[in-house]
């Protein structure tokens, strides 16, 4: 099995009998994207069934008539009334019809057919009608132009090496993988734009970017770039990047014209400004709106989007300061600007207020901003969730985030509703994931981490899918239809986030990791540091008081969320220490004390890992050897390393509290 | 004032009147070293008094007679009966005589004259007779060939850059500085020998090494190299480095012949083997003695020394393991080999059993090894003592180490006696310091850190000098004779180690630093790591039980030391937590509880720093501007950073113990 194809490996597999009768594909009603869709479909059927259908577009007009009846054919047909990217699959007298209103609809429809095929479903009587729920479904790569990847755990970049842009076979496979799960935009370079990457918007890189963007374009994907806010200065052309300066405004107008002309399939730009040392409008006493709008005006004539990150906080905090609350900073920085952004600006908001911890509450800007385009940013790069050495299937977490009711409206008020554009009737919105890919053969380091890439795309397209359904799909498409493989891998994936959370920092407090690396336990790792990430544990208790007696963060939510979080009795257990400083002896809603919860979850988390590994080992011989070996190596590491988590956390709290484990298990 | 000359800056200064009458130097009784000594003396007198004396060696024989009377001259005269490097200064009818039995004696005698001159002393009636107390007085540089310095805090290497060897004016100044304080050997490359440095013993570098070693030779300094034990393999010539293999033995014989022929002033080699990932004889199931002796035999024909480091321990320990004790490892690895090393092997032993912490007990191998050449290794690179951003004058610590009675004999049993060769009648022994220099203009980053370089050399030559005397000398030689400058800098230097210890890890426990960097407080930084460096603090107490109930480490000392350390009532306060796990409420010999001691020392340490800084600021205008600015910048950092230490340590222990400060000071 070719793992460089991930879930698009079209090896022969047993499928429902009628697929073997597919002999033709009619797909002459669209443009380049539809052509690529049809070609993909042909390759999939040929590979899986061993019988290559005729692509009628490839035949001269005269020969097409001779092909006989439509039964056993797949027909692409224009159908009115579907949203962009929507499709309608149905059977008509033995023919399988893909109806769509546009090119992207045919593309996603074709990939839906491939999915059905791989899952072994029959197409007899099929009736599927789907439209993408979120308008923008994007990946954000944090790839540097020297080939390294910030927070990359799957090898080096396949976009860049030694300050050059790579365009090759992998670019195509990448585009196919993205399109197959409905992703329609990708940012290829790190949001921390430095050095060579600042020059991506210059003549130096246009040719290669154009080539790359054309490949992406064939699969319905817009290319985006991360932008250096200080580019006018760093490119040596101006002394200022003041967004209200006429000179700066003109510079960007000229630059945008040039860039969009030279890279026709460019979607726009992602910007991290005034954050963690990055330049931004604050330097000139201007607001984020001033900065974003200036760029937006310049990009507007070309339909370009300006995606502006809300990850702005004081990263030089004093740990002795109990008043400043990093969790508040995104909200405090942006809430006053609601309604002041141009229509082609989108604020990109992380799922939680801190930074991709294993458990965080939903970002309070969701539901607070009412007149601003919004995107949800999640991270499938497992920066804080095991770095693709531990297995951690994140779709269940994303489902919880999307399902969170903000109470910004009486109905249709979930995060999903907001970023789908439903709540505030927006079209420039959606979901982005920090990518987990690299040039490793299997794309994602841990073979099981590919489920996050797969699941993210599918979820953004179709958020009603359950985490379990997406996991099942991915397993069957990747490893074939074997009940035992399915059951075991499903057990592993569906328990993995829970297990990781169990042996990690307890009850929503987060951050108990080694600084910089963000891997491995270190309870006090960020406790006395400048990053605003504290647990405040002492001999009596632990947690950050974010209630109205504390930093007031809980009050940033709309009611009834604000009151729910504000009180330790109604705050959900899993977030208790995020919102409250509690004694170790406090009884949780679960009936356990905080300290006993810590001990129990840490012992049980490791037991759960042991069970995963044991069950995984039972699959030996049923999985492709190379892939199995890669996973086993990681599982053995996880087994050992989860013990390190368990023992360090338990020991730390036992030594601090002096309260023994009720069950008398070994603590050091 | 030229700070690139450190204490050898011969700027004009007021000196005792008779120095202005010095008009001639007779120095024709020695070789190259004596010539360099005479030239140095001439330059010093010319610079300081403004009157250049005639160097009679420079005159043709016939003109010398015409120079008139000997009064007002300095005469180098052969004097029998002085040890190598010893000298005898005295006045004879207005002439200053430097008597010595050998070239090095004249060199050190000349530098003694310069010292007297700089200190402004009269030479009338002078009578000084000194011999170096330790035979070997060495620096160990941890310079890498790429130009970086492991644990270097003063810029980059001035020996290496981009895998090339640098020989230039700084090489000469370096040699002069070393000779001026009596240092007679230097290892120029890092003990962790990797990459290019492995090739230092090949043709590639011989020419440059020879040039460098000749410059050193002019100042009585032997060049030493750190050796890669696996060189036969890494140079691609053999498959093994087994010390008992005939092939390996022969390889080294040939290699040593070549190296010593091509670098005539080579003194020998320093080796770190089987430690922290370095290769060594353990790979072949051989002992350190097997390894060292094999090399020693090969180096013997050329008078070469093999200096073998005893810093060997398990650096993959499990923090959950309470039995393994890193402190024991040097002793346990080497004690059984006593008496088995060749005569030209020297074991180099760190001052303490761990690794250059601000406070450690003396290494138990001192006094235990009776039939093995020994060198004491100290570190003037301030790896764990503030990295040359904090001031920390280490000579008081070295004095304590040297004065420690081992009870290996009834008298003459101190560490000083042992490494001076007195206790066991040895001549291949002495003291080495890990160097604190780099290519910073002032050599040592912090201008005051030069006092450690100065003091180390002087101490190895003349260990009876007090730390205060050496500090005074260095201050006056560097900054001139100003009573206020002297008083303030002396106050700072003499209080600096004490202050650093006060706000650092308490009571000898050590290691509360950030991993890797070894800078800045991090109480649990090494607590759950693999390095064998734990404090075991819990809610009741802190410390490592190294008594006979614990790891038994205390018992490695000879009596009465063993009993003294073994009991918490007799163990000195400053090492209590190194030897014992004690409750926070335990009363120290000082009468304070452990926890109150922690609070008090941390508040008072910071107050002491404040006083230093305040007093330093009072010197404004009295110090060279550049040097003053450099120091002030560091002092302000130390002021702030010592608060970080205070607050983190106090907060950690308050949070853990719940015991408030008796004096109610602010703890976070």
């Amino acid at each position: 099995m070719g793992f460089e194809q991930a879930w698009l490996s079209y090896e022969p597999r047993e499928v429902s009998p009628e697929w073997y009768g597919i002999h033709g594909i009619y797909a002459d009603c669209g443009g380049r994207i539809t052509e690529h869709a049809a070609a993909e479909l042909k390759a999939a059927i040929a590979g899986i069934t061993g019988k290559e259908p005729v692509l009628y577009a490839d035949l001269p007009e005269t020969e097409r008539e001779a092909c006989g009846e439509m039964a056993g054919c797949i027909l692409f047909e224009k159908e009115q009334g579907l949203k962009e990217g929507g499709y309608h699959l149905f059977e008509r007298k033995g023919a399988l019809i893909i109806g769509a209103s546009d090119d992207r609809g045919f593309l996603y429809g074709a990939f839906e057919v491939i999915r059905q095929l791989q899952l072994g479903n029959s197409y007899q009587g099929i009736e599927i009608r789907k439209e993408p729920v979120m308008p923008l479904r994007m990946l954000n790569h944090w790839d540097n132009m020297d080939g390294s990847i910030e927070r990359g755990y799957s090898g080096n970049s396949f976009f860049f090496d030694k300050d050059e842009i790579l365009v090759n076979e992998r670019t195509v496979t990448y585009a196919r993988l993205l399109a197959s799960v409905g992703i329609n935009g990708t940012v290829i370079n790190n949001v921390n734009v430095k050095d060579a990457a600042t020059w991506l918007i210059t003549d130096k890189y246009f040719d290669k970017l154009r080539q790359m963007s054309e490949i992406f374009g064939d699969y319905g994907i817009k290319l985006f770039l991360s932008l250096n806010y200080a580019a006018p200065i760093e490119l040596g052309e101006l002394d200022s990047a003041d967004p209200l300066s006429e000179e700066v405004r003109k510079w960007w107008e000229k630059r945008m014209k040039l860039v969009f002309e030279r890279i026709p399939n460019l979607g726009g730009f992602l910007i991290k400004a005034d954050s963690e040392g990055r330049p931004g409008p604050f330097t000139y006493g201007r607001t984020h709106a001033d900065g974003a709008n200036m760029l937006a005006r310049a990009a507007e004539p070309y339909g370009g989007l300006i995606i502006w990150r809300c990850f702005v906080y004081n990263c030089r905090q004093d740990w002795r300061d109990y008043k400043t609350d990093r969790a508040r900073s995104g909200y405090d920085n942006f809430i006053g600007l609601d309604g002041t952004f141009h229509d082609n600006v989108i604020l990109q908001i992380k799922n939680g207020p801190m930074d991709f911890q294993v458990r965080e509450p939903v970002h309070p800007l969701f539901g607070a901003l009412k007149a601003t385009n919004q995107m949800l940013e999640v991270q499938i790069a497992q920066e804080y969730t095991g770095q693709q050495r531990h297995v951690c299937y994140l779709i269940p977490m994303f489902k919880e985030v999307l399902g969170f009711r903000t109470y910004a409206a009486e109905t249709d008020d979930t995060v999903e509703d907001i970023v789908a554009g439903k709540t505030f009737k927006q079209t420039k919105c959606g979901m982005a994931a920090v990518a987990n890919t690299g040039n490793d053969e299997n794309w994602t380091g841990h073979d099981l981490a590919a489920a996050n890439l797969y699941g993210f795309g599918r979820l953004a397209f179709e958020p009603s899918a359950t985490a379990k359904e997406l996991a099942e799909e991915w397993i069957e498409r990747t490893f074939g239809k074997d009940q035992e493989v399915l059951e075991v891998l499903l057990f592993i994936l569906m328990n993995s986030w829970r297990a990781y959370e169990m042996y990690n920092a307890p009850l929503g407090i987060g951050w108990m990791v080694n600084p910089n690396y963000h891997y491995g336990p270190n309870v006090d790792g960020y406790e006395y540091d400048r990053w605003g990430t504290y647990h405040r544990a002492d001999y009596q208790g632990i947690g950050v008081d974010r209630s109205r007696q504390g930093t007031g963060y809980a009050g940033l939510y709309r009611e009834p969320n604000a009151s729910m979080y504000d009180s330790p009795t109604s705050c959900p257990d899993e977030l208790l220490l995020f919102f409250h400083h509690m004694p170790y002896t406090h009884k949780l809603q679960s009936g356990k004390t905080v300290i006993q919860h810590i001990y129990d979850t840490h012992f049980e988390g490791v037991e759960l890992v042991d069970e995963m590994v044991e069950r995984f080992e039972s699959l030996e011989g049923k999985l492709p050897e190379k892939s199995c070996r890669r996973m086993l190596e990681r599982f053995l590491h996880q087994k050992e390393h989860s013990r390190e988590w368990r023992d360090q956390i338990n020991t730390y709290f036992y030594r601090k509290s002096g309260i023994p484990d009720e069950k008398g298990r070994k603590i050091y």
Side-chain angles (χ1 to χ4, degrees), chain A residues 476-503:
Chain A
E476 292 201 2
R477 296 184 71 176
T478 305
F479 296 103
K481 237 180 152 57
D482 177 303
Q483 198 52 33
E484 209 183 318
V485 169
L486 178 66
E487 271 171 27
V488 170
L489 295 186
L490 198 59
F491 173 83
I492 291 172
L493 287 176
M494 291 306 291
N495 281 289
S496 59
W497 176 44
R498 189 167 75 93
Y500 195 79
E501 183 177 14
M502 285 168 89
Y503 57 77

Side-chain angles (χ1 to χ4, degrees), chain A residues 82-106:
Chain A
L82 283 156
K83 256 178 41 180
E84 193 194 12
Y87 55 86
H88 180 202
L89 299 195
F90 58 99
E91 190 208 331
R92 192 172 62 212
K93 298 180 191 162
L96 173 57
I97 316 298
I98 305 176
S101 302
D102 72 314
D103 251 354
R104 282 189 176 77
F106 288 124

Side-chain angles (χ1 to χ4, degrees), chain A residues 37 112 145 181 259 285 313 450 468 480 508 581 632:
Chain A
E112 175 75 61
M145 291 202 61
V181 292
V259 177
Y313 67 99
K468 181 161 172 275
H581 186 90
L632 190 59

Side-chain angles (χ1 to χ4, degrees), chain A residues 33 90 106 110 116 131 150 157 180 211-212 322 348 363 484 530-532 534 593 613:
Chain A
I33 295 176
F90 58 99
F106 288 124
Q116 296 297 330
E131 291 172 331
E150 186 164 329
S157 175
S180 77
Q211 282 174 42
M212 183 184 281
Y322 276 63
Q348 184 164 303
H363 202 297
E484 209 183 318
R530 63 183 173 89
W531 300 94
Y534 314 114
T593 60
V613 179

Side-chain angles (χ1 to χ4, degrees), chain A residues 566-621:
Chain A
D566 202 63
S567 157
T569 55
S570 54
C571 181
D573 281 353
E574 73 262 19
L575 287 170
L576 184 63
L577 300 182
F578 186 92
F579 283 100
H580 300 280
H581 186 90
M582 302 303 297
Y584 296 120
T585 52
H586 169 80
K587 270 234 164 75
L588 297 170
Q589 293 173 32
S590 70
K592 288 182 183 176
T593 60
V594 168
I595 190 77
Q596 195 56 41
H597 172 91
I598 293 175
Y599 297 149
D600 285 350
T601 49
H602 284 78
F603 284 109
E604 290 161 15
V606 168
E607 285 162 19
L608 191 48
V609 171
D610 287 351
E611 191 181 347
M612 287 180 192
V613 179
E614 198 180 313
R615 294 190 65 171
F616 182 82
E617 284 171 336
S618 77
L619 293 184
E620 222 198 303

Side-chain angles (χ1 to χ4, degrees), chain A residues 64 104 206-207 210 223 231 411 435 476 524 567 605 644 658:
Chain A
R64 294 191 193 175
R104 282 189 176 77
F206 286 149
D207 288 344
R210 183 189 189 113
L223 172 72
T411 56
E476 292 201 2
D524 277 356
S567 157
E644 194 64 33

